[in-house]
Amino acid sequence: MNITVVEHNPKWKHEYLKEEKLIVKILQKELVNSFHIGSTSIPDLKAKPIIDILLVVNDIKALDNYSQQFEKLGYEVMGEFGIKQRRYYCKGGNNRTHQIHAFQYDNTQEIERHLSFRDYLCQNSEIRQQYGELKSKLAHKFPNDINGYSNGKDEFVRKIEKEALKWHWFNR
């Protein structure tokens, strides 16, 4: 996978909304909600130009019945892909453009983890800047190594996820 980190692009929100419409047509009543997550959802954050989508669904196993429809949209269906009770889809091959993380509505730990991280970074410019700089350095160091890039972010992300969850519950 090619790893490039760029300045925030306001068009990413529109790319999410365009893709969300296609997904809603496929899933209809199975979909509980959809969220733009990940770095492209956070204003002023440097990011890989990949639209991350969080789907909350009624029945995670029922998503397996929609594999052909997702493939028609250009997604590769990856199953759980390392996280139990998730369904993961990616689009664009080595030049990935979109990825979907789907969870059943009652998997609140995973859903809250993603949403809290996004919301916390939106509210904290200093941490947002630190994260953007870290991602830029790692993309330069690991331009074709997604594992090296991800491992380099791991400690920072885990620390911020803990802070974000506490912040979420404090500000609720």
Side-chain angles (χ1 to χ4, degrees):
M1 178 176 169
N2 301 320
I3 301 162
T4 305
V5 172
V6 299
E7 295 295 327
H8 181 81
N9 185 339
K11 292 180 182 179
W12 290 334
K13 179 179 181 179
H14 302 293
E15 290 296 318
Y16 161 75
L17 293 171
K18 187 170 102 179
E19 201 71 11
E20 180 190 44
K21 284 181 185 178
L22 299 173
I23 294 166
V24 168
K25 283 182 184 178
I26 290 173
L27 295 180
Q28 299 176 14
K29 293 181 181 178
E30 193 59 48
L31 183 65
V32 174
N33 210 337
S34 173
F35 301 94
H36 186 191
I37 61 167
S39 296
T40 60
S41 71
I42 303 166
D44 303 321
L45 177 60
K46 294 177 183 178
K48 295 188 316 282
I50 300 169
I51 307 301
D52 279 288
I53 300 168
L54 171 64
L55 300 181
V56 179
V57 298
N58 286 310
D59 181 356
I60 196 67
K61 292 179 182 172
L63 282 189
D64 298 337
N65 299 323
Y66 297 90
S67 293
Q68 287 185 339
Q69 290 96 323
F70 278 104
E71 288 172 350
K72 285 180 183 176
L73 290 179
Y75 284 95
E76 184 178 353
V77 178
M78 307 288 288
E80 288 184 332
F81 201 64
I83 298 178
K84 291 184 185 219
Q85 299 302 311
R86 169 179 79 161
R87 294 300 182 271
Y88 177 76
Y89 310 84
C90 60
K91 187 178 198 177
N94 284 335
N95 295 306
R96 190 169 300 161
T97 60
H98 297 77
Q99 40 194 28
I100 297 172
H101 312 266
F103 296 98
Q104 189 167 294
Y105 71 93
D106 56 356
N107 192 340
T108 55
Q109 182 175 351
E110 288 295 334
I111 295 166
E112 290 293 341
R113 179 175 69 86
H114 286 287
L115 296 176
S116 296
F117 186 81
R118 177 199 66 189
D119 295 347
Y120 184 69
L121 285 177
C122 284
Q123 297 296 316
N124 291 277
S125 60
E126 185 178 323
I127 293 168
R128 188 170 58 240
Q129 183 177 356
Q130 289 172 9
Y131 188 40
E133 293 304 318
L134 174 62
K135 293 188 330 168
S136 289
K137 288 177 188 173
L138 291 169
H140 182 73
K141 186 174 181 179
F142 301 105
N144 298 32
D145 179 5
I146 190 62
N147 291 327
Y149 175 82
S150 296
N151 291 340
K153 295 188 322 176
D154 192 55
E155 183 180 335
F156 183 89
V157 169
R158 288 186 192 275
K159 177 182 175 239
I160 299 308
E161 281 179 345
K162 288 178 185 177
E163 291 176 17
L165 284 169
K166 289 178 188 176
W167 171 86
H168 168 82
W169 292 114
F170 181 78
N171 289 291
R172 198 161 178 128

